[in-house]
Amino acid sequence: MPAPNDTAERLRRLMGDVLDEQIATAAVTAGHVTQAQLDSARQEQAEVMGEPPRLAAILMRRGFLDDAKVAALETRLAADAFVRPSLETTAEPPPEVRAAAQDPARELGHFVLVALIGQGGTGEVWKAWDRRLHRWVAVKVSTAAPAAGSARERFEREALAAGRLRHPGLVPIHEAGVDRGRVYLVMPLIEGETLETARMSARRALEVVRAAALAIEHAHGQGIVHRDLKPGNVMVDRTGNVYVLDFGLVCLREDEATQLTQPGDVLGTAGYMSPEQARGEAAARGPTTDVYGLGATLYHAVTGAPPFAAPTFAAVVERVLHDDPVPPGRLVPDLDRRIEAVVLRAMDRAPARRYPSAAAFAADLGRILADEEVLAPASGVAQRLMRLIRRRRGAVATIGGVVLIAAVVASARGLLSAERREAVEGLRQMARVSLESALALRRAGDLAGMRRLRPALVAAYQQARGRGAETAEVEYLVGRMYRALLDDDEALSHQERALALDPNSTSSLYERAVLLSARYGRLVDTAETELRLREGDRPAAETAWPELARLRDEIRHDLARLQALGGPPAQTAAAQGILAYHEHRWSEARVQLAAAVAAEPLREEAWQALARAAESERRFTEAEATYTRAIELDRGYLPHAIGRCELRRRLRKLTEASDDATAVLALDAGSVEARLCRGATRTRTAHDEISDGKDPTPTLDGAQEDFDRALAARPSAAAHAARAVVHRYRAIFAERRGGDPFPHLATAEHDDDRAIALDPAGATHWASRARTRTRRGILMHLEGGEPGPTFTAAERDFAEALRLDGNRPEFWAWRAELHFYRARHHVRTGAAPDAEFAAAEEDMATSIRLYSGDGLSYVRRGEMRTWRGQAVADAGGDPLPLWAQAREDLDRAVHDLPRSAEAWVTRARLLTARGLRLGRGGQADLATAAADLTRALAADPRYAEAWSAQGHLRAARGDRKGAAEDLRRAAVLKPRLRHAGVR
């Protein structure tokens, strides 16, 4: 007899195998490892003699994983294992836990067994309290003695099998252990009702068993056969989710040498086991055994009774071996004939005549739910006739026998026809199941698993097309699969083929309307950018862009056809709402789309357009909540998380935005959109760090890495323009810290040039290059050079940017800065500056009018008015009216930006100039200026301009020693600093 600690060691090794398998699978999902690399590691593991190494160890040795990645994957797996709708957590144990804890027999490791909720062939299942993590769990305790070899091994095999499976319909094993000789497994607690006791409509039964079949298909794909499918092992939780339970009789098909059952063993629940199980045959280890169990489970769900019943176990087995079940339609006279046909085909006593897979079984259930014909009826009739012949062999010699033979011959012809039809519809079945499986995997966040379905489907589609096996439904399904994979162009081509085969396909009409609406929206964005169109200008847009009118008419035609053909209301509402969104009819779009998602919550395209419509109406809280709900329903539909990332970035929720992008990249490391959003978020964070006096270098490094990887994956104008901003910020920080900014500006301008070359109609790209050139001109001015040609080139870029889009407030603010520094250069060279100062103020006023202004806008305008007033004073005029306006701007700026050293320094310079101008009456201004500079240096002790301004203030107040020290510090920090006005 093995000692308890031997069993504990076995379980520790077992859970190590489970966790290792889960880490390897999660590494593929996270993008650290490709499926091919994982398969290669598995092969290496299988070839090792003796104790094989862990997969994670092999992947680490090969450089794909490291300790940090493994730790992150383990943390993610631990969290995911308990993300269940019915799970509740609380810091204090509920009263029933405290009561159960009084009984020492209810103690099991760090769990308290509270209530027995089920019993199976290998153990009892308890609702238990986890004392360590303060939550409810399900604990399965083995009822086999430690020495009961095969029973114990079956229990352990369940842990290994469930640990390998990651599917929303399969309950994972989270932990295993041994306590006082009792072996146990820990799982999330799924509270609900099994099909054994549940009562539901036939349609709901089809939905539940179909979901179970798709989960079982996933298990089969991992080489795992359940072998004990029955109503008691299919549970529906409180929110309607379906789970397959109890892998206690699991067969791991790739491990034939160590099967836990040998020919002759009879395992399973008698009334639902397949005939080959009842005979103890090796065939019981194949997937069709589970197909039989699914059919038997559906039989029970629609009739309320098992397919076979008898007083004793032996009598039930005898019936399973030799009888056919009573047709369900006899027990439920109004039962849909298609349900009976599907059940009888799944439960055929010959495995070869059943559905070949759980996916095929699920596909026929899906046809019933879609009110279509199934593949089962013709073959079911023929098989019943053949069984009748076998039972009435003597009847062949009679006239009745001749009639019977004629019937069989006629039915056989029908069977041959059905077989040909099945050959043609094989692709249809595969396409439907592939799509359903892909969407289920995507909604669970398993994008790697979803994408693995694509190559087989594409290969099968191409082969079938070569044989002329085209149908409208297949083209629709393949196109829908491509849209699920976000390949809209390929998706549209398949929907066009579908409609050529069947112009009345409502599904394809809807898909084409959705896809054309997305294309329409992208074209509208381009047209509005280039033509500077706003609401009310759509006729002008359609005159300049005839493609817009053509697309609009096509979409409306498809919608009219949908309504005329009686397409589902939710489908029509979604299509109309999406079109309304792209036509900027926001309120109408929100009404239509809200109705669509209320009726059918899994329409991802409707959620996406609904969130964007709310955002377009500046209902930002509503838009964020809409994205959040959509993500909860479909973790793998990346546009939802990317959309929320972009929204949060614009709302300055920078940490949350970065988290969204990082979550997308964990699912799809190749997402260019997520890289761009996270890079832009990091760039904005770096801007704030510069304003707060912090070192932005690490943040800028992260942003540049994101943009570099985005460009490596797909060169784009947006990525080049975004990377140019990173280089400009590097230049600003280098200038502030006394470094050389010019190399960074040269690199930035190179990216600006590439952006313009790739997208010459992009207003932002022209404005970005104008900013880069303006910054270089400013530095040339500060160093005493001639910035005139550089400023002129920048002005030409701004003129093009404003021609393309004159409603961008930041463009006007940036051009105002150009005019401001050109005016300052005129002051230095003796030229008249007033026209440039006036142009700068006019541009800033336009910017503030368009955007209502922010703190930085008032810093800029206050600085402009300060300098303009000084120029007036130098010319013999009165600067005080301009300085009064500047004071209003800068008071607002320091209120809005209390941590900005630049805002405090800019006001201090104004107050210093005005205080000196007023003489004795200006002492209050000088005192406030000194306090402002103290605030600036507290915000950023390395801000050279603050030390310089403080030095000049001290010199004006007679503190020559303090002034010299401050100016020395400023020169050390920024050698280019020449005078107090330098920014």
Side-chain angles (χ1 to χ4, degrees):
M1 175 193 306
N5 59 343
D6 292 336
T7 304
E9 180 58 31
R10 284 170 56 84
L11 273 176
R12 277 191 290 272
R13 289 200 305 271
L14 174 67
M15 291 310 295
D17 292 340
V18 169
L19 182 59
D20 184 52
E21 182 69 36
Q22 291 176 338
I23 289 172
T25 303
V28 174
T29 302
H32 302 319
V33 181
T34 67
Q35 187 60 44
Q37 290 164 343
L38 178 56
D39 291 342
S40 174
R42 291 191 200 282
Q43 183 176 356
E44 177 182 332
Q45 184 187 49
E47 292 172 352
V48 173
M49 300 296 291
E51 184 71 21
R54 300 280 193 210
L55 283 172
I58 296 173
L59 296 172
M60 291 176 74
R61 176 169 51 74
R62 294 186 179 187
F64 300 124
L65 296 179
D66 54 31
D67 289 337
K69 288 178 180 176
V70 171
L73 292 172
E74 287 179 336
T75 301
R76 174 80 177 272
L77 289 167
D80 285 352
F82 279 88
V83 178
R84 299 288 173 177
S86 60
L87 184 67
E88 298 177 1
T89 62
T90 177
E92 292 297 325
E96 62 266 38
V97 175
R98 293 194 291 270
Q102 302 301 313
D103 182 357
R106 297 288 187 91
E107 298 283 341
L108 189 70
H110 57 91
F111 302 96
V112 179
L113 306 181
V114 177
L116 182 65
I117 55 178
Q119 289 181 289
T122 59
E124 300 174 339
V125 181
W126 289 79
K127 179 180 180 180
W129 180 256
D130 184 341
R131 285 175 157 169
R132 182 185 299 163
L133 299 177
H134 309 291
R135 58 189 174 190
W136 287 110
V137 295
V139 175
K140 183 169 183 178
V141 186
S142 175
T143 53
S150 64
R152 186 193 67 243
E153 289 179 15
R154 288 186 193 115
F155 189 83
E156 294 172 3
R157 185 62 64 92
E158 177 180 2
L160 181 58
R164 289 177 53 174
L165 300 175
R166 293 184 61 76
H167 186 279
L170 302 175
V171 182
I173 299 293
H174 180 65
E175 185 179 339
V178 179
D179 182 41
R180 291 169 288 173
R182 293 187 293 175
V183 184
Y184 61 89
L185 308 175
V186 184
M187 298 161 282
L189 177 65
I190 308 298
E191 293 187 309
E193 192 173 16
T194 70
L195 290 186
E196 188 171 25
T197 57
R199 292 293 175 263
M200 57 185 64
S201 67
R203 182 176 182 84
R204 179 56 179 154
L206 292 176
E207 292 171 343
V208 170
V209 176
R210 178 173 170 274
L214 290 173
I216 289 298
E217 177 67 17
H218 172 77
H220 290 173
Q222 301 298 313
I224 293 171
V225 181
H226 189 287
R227 298 199 302 164
D228 193 19
L229 289 172
K230 57 186 179 183
N233 280 339
V234 177
M235 175 174 280
V236 182
D237 76 3
R238 294 169 178 171
T239 61
N241 296 314
V242 179
Y243 300 96
V244 178
L245 312 175
D246 197 354
F247 278 75
L249 299 186
V250 69
C251 169
L252 304 179
R253 288 188 285 142
E254 76 282 4
D255 191 12
E256 298 290 344
T258 58
Q259 290 297 339
L260 298 179
T261 58
Q262 299 301 323
D265 285 354
V266 178
L267 296 171
T269 303
Y272 305 93
M273 71 169 64
S274 67
E276 60 270 24
Q277 274 183 292
R279 288 190 292 267
E281 295 175 345
R285 297 200 288 265
T288 53
T289 288
D290 282 350
V291 171
Y292 185 99
L294 288 165
T297 298
L298 181 57
Y299 187 108
H300 183 117
V302 297
T303 67
F308 298 104
T312 65
F313 177 87
V316 173
V317 171
E318 180 68 17
R319 290 200 59 195
V320 168
L321 288 172
H322 301 294
D323 293 343
D324 295 318
V326 175
R330 293 186 190 175
L331 302 177
V332 184
D334 60 348
L335 185 69
D336 189 322
R337 62 173 180 80
R338 296 170 297 177
I339 298 176
E340 177 175 297
V342 168
V343 168
L344 293 178
R345 179 175 177 183
M347 293 186 65
D348 198 298
R349 284 188 291 124
R353 291 198 295 264
R354 296 175 200 152
Y355 289 98
S357 66
F361 173 75
D364 250 0
L365 298 185
R367 291 186 182 93
I368 300 173
L369 292 168
D371 199 23
E372 300 169 358
E373 280 303 317
V374 296
L375 300 183
S379 60
V381 170
Q383 289 163 12
R384 287 198 293 275
L385 285 169
M386 292 303 295
R387 286 195 294 269
L388 184 58
I389 289 176
R390 287 194 293 269
R391 290 173 187 166
R392 299 185 180 182
R393 296 182 187 275
V396 176
T398 66
I399 297 297
V402 173
V403 174
L404 182 59
I405 291 172
V408 171
V409 170
S411 186
R413 289 174 179 163
L415 177 59
L416 291 174
S417 174
E419 287 175 351
R420 284 195 296 270
R421 182 164 61 92
E422 286 194 30
V424 173
E425 293 190 348
L427 176 61
R428 175 184 181 224
Q429 175 178 298
M430 181 179 183
R432 182 184 290 277
V433 173
S434 294
L435 174 60
E436 292 167 349
S437 299
L439 289 172
L441 290 166
R442 191 188 73 189
R443 288 163 187 155
D446 186 358
L447 296 191
M450 177 187 73
R451 288 170 181 153
R452 283 197 295 272
L453 298 171
R454 175 175 175 169
L457 176 61
V458 171
Y461 169 77
Q462 291 172 344
Q463 183 180 29
R465 255 199 109 197
R467 296 176 180 175
E470 278 187 299
T471 67
E473 185 187 5
V474 166
E475 293 293 347
Y476 157 73
L477 290 168
V478 174
R480 180 65 182 90
M481 181 80 160
Y482 275 108
R483 184 161 75 83
L485 294 165
L486 305 180
D487 187 344
D488 284 3
D489 291 339
E490 190 66 28
L492 183 58
S493 70
H494 284 284
Q495 301 307 339
E496 297 284 9
R497 290 193 196 111
L499 289 166
L501 293 166
D502 179 5
N504 294 328
S505 169
T506 56
S507 296
S508 289
L509 283 168
Y510 171 76
E511 282 294 308
R512 187 167 69 177
V514 168
L515 293 162
L516 291 178
S517 293
R519 181 176 289 182
Y520 180 91
R522 289 191 294 269
L523 197 58
V524 165
D525 290 342
T526 302
E528 289 191 339
T529 297
E530 294 193 11
L531 303 175
R532 293 174 290 138
L533 298 175
R534 286 295 177 266
E535 290 306 305
D537 293 330
R538 196 160 304 283
E542 293 183 352
T543 299
W545 292 80
E547 179 74 359
L548 280 174
R550 186 188 69 77
L551 283 173
R552 181 203 60 199
D553 291 343
E554 285 189 21
I555 295 164
R556 289 179 175 171
H557 174 267
D558 284 349
L559 291 175
R561 290 282 297 148
L562 265 177
Q563 290 177 315
L565 292 169
Q571 193 179 69
T572 304
Q576 290 177 331
I578 292 169
L579 176 61
Y581 161 71
H582 289 308
E583 290 187 334
H584 294 190
R585 293 180 281 115
W586 314 124
S587 297
E588 179 185 343
R590 287 174 51 247
V591 171
Q592 294 277 12
L593 293 165
V597 297
E600 295 184 9
L602 294 179
R603 285 193 180 275
E604 69 271 15
E605 66 276 6
W607 282 107
Q608 185 178 5
L610 179 60
R612 289 179 175 176
E615 190 175 348
S616 299
E617 287 195 302
R618 303 185 68 80
R619 296 171 174 265
F620 298 130
T621 302
E622 179 182 325
E624 187 174 5
T626 301
Y627 277 128
T628 299
R629 178 59 181 147
I631 292 167
E632 290 170 355
L633 292 168
D634 195 336
R635 288 175 54 195
Y637 188 68
L638 303 184
H640 293 330
I642 292 168
R644 191 173 69 177
C645 175
E646 292 288 356
L647 172 62
R648 287 172 163 176
R649 179 177 65 81
R650 289 191 290 272
L651 294 176
R652 303 288 178 87
K653 296 183 176 182
L654 301 181
T655 300
E656 294 92 335
S658 183
D659 288 345
D660 279 340
T662 301
V664 170
L665 291 168
L667 294 174
D668 180 9
S671 172
V672 171
E673 292 75 13
R675 292 280 176 199
L676 292 176
C677 187
R678 190 171 71 176
T681 301
R682 287 170 164 173
T683 304
R684 180 69 223 188
T685 302
H687 171 277
D688 294 346
E689 289 171 344
I690 293 173
S691 297
D692 292 345
K694 299 175 183 176
D695 183 353
T697 304
T699 307
L700 290 172
D701 288 345
Q704 184 168 339
E705 180 187 4
D706 280 333
F707 295 138
D708 288 346
R709 294 184 67 171
L711 286 166
R714 187 177 70 221
S716 70
H720 278 293
R723 193 169 66 179
V725 178
V726 172
H727 293 306
R728 270 205 309 277
Y729 282 171
R730 290 191 191 279
I732 291 170
F733 186 67
E735 176 194 359
R736 180 167 289 189
R737 290 295 188 258
D740 184 359
F742 286 103
H744 298 299
L745 291 174
T747 306
E749 189 163 349
H750 174 73
D751 269 328
D752 288 327
D753 291 343
R754 292 292 300 139
I756 291 171
L758 288 168
D759 180 16
T764 302
H765 313 327
W766 291 96
S768 178
R769 190 170 71 178
R771 291 199 77 195
T772 302
R773 289 172 167 175
T774 298
R775 175 57 53 185
R776 190 169 72 238
I778 289 170
L779 292 174
M780 294 168 69
H781 157 74
L782 295 176
E783 292 195 335
E786 175 49 58
T790 303
F791 281 151
T792 299
E795 188 168 20
R796 285 197 300 268
D797 285 344
F798 275 130
E800 181 64 12
L802 290 167
R803 183 188 73 80
L804 291 169
D805 188 352
N807 288 281
R808 297 284 292 275
E810 63 271 27
F811 292 0
W812 294 97
W814 296 338
R815 194 173 72 168
E817 184 179 42
L818 166 64
H819 287 304
F820 172 53
Y821 272 96
R822 183 179 272 167
R824 287 173 58 172
H825 188 67
H826 287 346
V827 169
R828 172 174 292 177
T829 59
D834 199 59
E836 293 294 339
F837 276 128
E841 280 200 54
E842 183 179 347
D843 279 352
M844 279 305 303
T846 301
S847 174
I848 290 171
R849 175 178 56 80
L850 289 172
Y851 187 58
S852 301
D854 60 9
L856 193 58
S857 300
Y858 291 104
V859 171
R860 295 286 174 263
R861 192 168 69 177
E863 184 178 27
M864 292 171 187
R865 287 170 167 172
T866 299
W867 275 85
R868 189 177 185 185
Q870 186 62 55
V872 168
D874 292 344
D878 181 8
L880 293 180
L882 282 168
W883 283 350
Q885 294 175 340
R887 176 67 187 268
E888 291 178 3
D889 285 338
L890 294 170
D891 285 350
R892 179 165 180 174
V894 297
H895 176 271
D896 292 347
L897 302 171
R899 296 185 300 166
S900 171
E902 183 180 8
W904 292 108
V905 169
T906 305
R907 192 174 76 167
R909 286 176 182 152
L910 165 68
L911 294 173
T912 298
R914 194 172 73 169
L916 294 176
R917 175 87 181 181
L918 294 174
R920 290 185 178 180
Q923 294 303 308
D925 281 343
L926 296 178
T928 303
D932 283 354
L933 292 170
T934 300
R935 292 286 299 271
L937 289 168
D940 184 1
R942 292 180 54 81
Y943 190 27
E945 283 82 350
W947 289 108
S948 175
Q950 184 168 273
H952 284 275
L953 175 60
R954 284 180 169 176
R957 300 177 82 178
D959 182 3
R960 293 185 174 275
K961 183 177 180 180
E965 178 61 24
D966 286 344
L967 294 172
R968 185 192 66 78
R969 288 189 182 183
V972 169
L973 291 170
K974 192 172 183 180
R976 289 189 177 86
L977 200 59
R978 293 288 185 265
H979 52 78
V982 176
R983 290 177 51 222

